[in-house]
Amino acid sequence: MAAVPSIDSLPYEVRQEIYSLIVRQTDSHARNSGSVPTLARYATVSKRWQEEFVEPLIFKELRVTPNRLQDFNHIVSSPRRRGLVQTILFHVSLDRYEQYLDSEQETSAERRRSVEILVTALKDIFRAMILWKKSETSPRGLDLHLVIDSPSDSSTLVGGKRGLLVTARGLTSYLKIDPDTLSLPYLDVFSGFRCTGRHLKPTSALAIASRLRTLEYLDLELSHDSTRTRDIEQRNNFANGLEEHAETVRVLSLHRPSPMLTASPSPPKQPWSDFYVKMRAFSQQCESFDFDDCIDAMQFFAPFLPGHTAERTLRGQEAPLWMRLKRLNVRNSYLVKAPYLRVASRAEALASIHKILVAVGRATSRMPGLLFARVSQYILTDGELEWFVIIYECHAGKAVVRVRGFVPSKPILGAWRHSVTTKELEFDVVHENDGANVPEL
């Protein structure tokens, strides 16, 4: 009787097809049963299966906690395994608290304790990662995803899509590290950094990012835009520190923290403020720039607004030129929730959105390498959400502008058309509106 062939003797393409089938079945089982999928059991099939199939999947993203750093160092001690890692999710757990404190912010003493836990954990993970060599990692580098929360932050109530709600304490308690006292070694293995969970003040996140010498991608929560001294100071310090502490960043994504539970005064309209001047300057070194309500699009694109050549381009400043920018994503909302009310009525919101869509269209003439842009503006009135979206795509010498949720006026289309013609591209407009009752803007 002929010997049964080993599965390792199958052609590489056949093995890959088997691997794909197993992954699909594992994911399907996890969705239906609600359990966490596991592929580790397949490592026992053979050494080839372990190295060729299992490890590239389970080492792609590693979840690490401060208590498991010793195990982490042991598991990824070999350069081969380090080369498989793409993301390190470092989960820092803060102290638990009683349920009756769910709706209260941390006290000063509790906040100091939380910062102490975070700083200690950061020192531990940085000491562990200093043993890594850049030559051992993926050519794209590693992403560091910092998750900070308390086990008590998840409420026993069930939120949308059967997910747990986050307590008011978890939403409103923030962490702020003193950059002058933060002592961390420099690392050159991370190309991406993001932080989720408890809100980490942007200057604190920037202090951590400053220790990552090859950082290219930065995804941060930016403090709410309001007239509060704390917000203004944080935002200005963050914008001022970008050039010094994130000089290698080419992909910048900024978004507002978790929804505010208390109202906050609306910010003043000062497009010439330090924050907007510095943000416009830094964005000109980016290849991708993404922001939501944490930045007011009206203020950011003020040099391109209609009328008086935007106050002579904001008091004598030269119009921005985004030579490297390939991707732009802008999202703003109106009448949704303080401090993002921005306007007093729907009519005023429509007028503002019209100006923004014209201004961004004009600005794209100063983005010679732009391949994709999405400008999304939303209005919430009487419980109904209206959306106004322009999507710009450039490929093979042709630019296509897709319009959703409204009928664009001549000034809007004219601004985008003019920008395209200055680049000597073909121009086409596609209307993707489902109904006939969409408003004209």
Side-chain angles (χ1 to χ4, degrees):
M1 174 181 275
V4 178
S6 166
I7 196 166
D8 289 346
S9 66
L10 295 175
Y12 175 79
E13 294 79 6
V14 176
R15 296 199 305 273
Q16 289 298 315
E17 187 65 29
I18 295 173
Y19 300 157
S20 299
L21 178 62
I22 292 173
V23 171
R24 289 197 297 270
Q25 288 181 337
T26 304
D27 290 344
S28 175
H29 173 74
R31 286 192 298 269
N32 295 331
S33 65
S35 62
V36 178
T38 175
L39 295 169
R41 57 187 176 182
Y42 292 101
T44 59
V45 173
S46 71
K47 184 177 180 180
R48 170 171 284 181
W49 270 58
Q50 177 182 337
E51 296 182 355
E52 189 177 79
F53 166 50
V54 179
E55 290 188 354
L57 291 174
I58 64 176
F59 284 97
K60 183 177 181 179
E61 177 176 306
L62 292 182
R63 182 181 179 276
V64 185
T65 64
N67 292 334
R68 296 296 304 275
L69 276 174
Q70 186 173 355
D71 294 337
F72 167 74
N73 289 333
H74 176 72
I75 292 171
V76 292
S77 59
S78 71
R80 181 182 62 80
R81 285 185 171 178
R82 290 179 180 179
L84 300 175
V85 181
Q86 296 181 19
T87 300
I88 294 178
L89 189 154
F90 188 54
H91 188 178
V92 180
S93 292
L94 307 177
D95 290 337
R96 293 179 178 272
Y97 52 87
E98 298 297 331
Q99 188 172 357
Y100 71 89
L101 295 173
D102 281 0
S103 59
E104 298 182 14
Q105 281 190 338
E106 289 182 325
T107 64
S108 297
E110 289 169 333
R111 189 174 293 123
R112 287 194 296 270
R113 168 62 180 163
S114 294
V115 171
E116 179 185 353
I117 293 173
L118 173 60
V119 170
T120 300
L122 286 172
K123 289 180 179 179
D124 290 343
I125 185 66
F126 270 64
R127 278 196 294 265
M129 295 307 300
I130 204 171
L131 301 175
W132 290 47
K133 298 178 181 178
K134 187 172 179 58
S135 59
E136 297 173 341
T137 65
S138 164
R140 296 188 308 167
L142 299 175
D143 288 338
L144 175 60
H145 181 182
L146 178 62
V147 181
I148 313 165
D149 60 19
S150 163
S152 306
D153 283 346
S154 296
S155 170
T156 54
L157 299 175
V158 177
K161 297 183 180 179
R162 300 184 64 81
L164 292 177
L165 292 176
V166 178
T167 65
R169 186 184 182 95
L171 290 174
T172 58
S173 297
Y174 62 90
L175 295 104
K176 183 179 179 181
I177 300 172
D178 183 358
D180 295 332
T181 61
L182 183 64
S183 177
L184 297 175
Y186 287 95
L187 301 176
D188 61 1
V189 294
F190 287 110
S191 59
F193 175 58
R194 65 189 296 244
C195 182
T196 59
R198 289 281 184 96
H199 176 51
L200 181 65
K201 284 297 183 179
T203 48
S204 301
L206 195 57
I208 299 171
S210 68
R211 300 304 196 274
L212 309 178
R213 290 187 290 199
T214 56
L215 192 65
E216 298 179 3
Y217 169 64
L218 186 60
D219 182 341
L220 296 180
E221 288 183 344
L222 184 60
S223 295
H224 292 288
D225 193 359
S226 77
T227 57
R228 292 187 301 191
T229 302
R230 185 180 67 193
D231 283 355
I232 294 174
E233 181 182 3
Q234 278 284 315
R235 290 165 64 81
N236 287 346
N237 289 342
F238 170 75
N240 288 328
L242 275 172
E243 185 176 357
E244 178 183 358
H245 300 302
E247 60 181 356
T248 59
V249 169
R250 296 294 178 264
V251 178
L252 180 62
S253 180
L254 301 175
H255 46 95
R256 59 186 173 95
S258 300
M260 297 183 69
L261 300 184
T262 57
S264 176
S266 298
K269 295 183 178 180
Q270 297 178 337
W272 56 85
S273 68
D274 284 348
F275 173 78
Y276 281 102
V277 169
K278 292 294 185 180
M279 285 307 308
R280 278 192 291 266
F282 185 81
S283 66
Q284 293 174 65
Q285 77 173 44
C286 294
E287 296 179 4
S288 176
F289 186 35
D290 183 317
F291 66 84
D292 64 4
D293 281 322
C294 64
I295 295 180
D296 190 334
M298 181 81 79
Q299 310 307 309
F300 184 83
F301 290 105
F304 303 94
L305 289 171
H308 301 293
T309 317
E311 292 187 26
R312 297 298 178 188
T313 314
L314 291 185
R315 302 179 178 181
Q317 297 177 29
E318 186 177 348
L321 177 61
W322 292 273
M323 287 297 298
R324 296 175 173 173
L325 197 66
K326 298 178 182 178
R327 182 184 179 278
L328 174 69
N329 190 11
V330 178
R331 303 179 307 284
N332 269 182
S333 56
Y334 298 79
L335 304 175
V336 175
K337 191 171 186 179
Y340 309 116
L341 301 178
R342 292 200 171 93
V343 293
S345 65
R346 178 178 179 274
E348 189 179 346
L350 290 173
S352 297
I353 292 173
H354 178 273
K355 291 179 181 179
I356 289 171
L357 296 181
V358 170
V360 180
R362 290 179 172 183
T364 57
S365 66
R366 305 282 291 176
M367 305 172 186
L370 189 66
L371 300 177
F372 175 86
R374 181 185 179 102
V375 186
S376 307
Q377 305 287 289
Y378 304 95
I379 304 177
L380 181 64
T381 54
D382 300 326
E384 294 185 4
L385 184 66
E386 297 180 81
W387 43 281
F388 306 80
V389 180
I390 282 184
I391 299 174
Y392 169 94
E393 296 173 299
C394 179
H395 178 68
K398 182 177 182 179
V400 178
V401 170
R402 304 182 185 277
V403 181
R404 298 175 182 174
F406 72 104
V407 176
S409 62
K410 288 183 179 180
I412 292 177
L413 285 182
W416 289 85
R417 186 187 302 274
H418 175 73
S419 292
V420 170
T421 55
T422 60
K423 302 176 187 178
E424 300 182 350
L425 300 172
E426 295 182 31
F427 181 68
D428 191 17
V429 179
V430 179
H431 297 271
E432 299 182 346
N433 298 312
D434 296 331
N437 297 324
V438 293
E440 182 176 352
L441 193 62

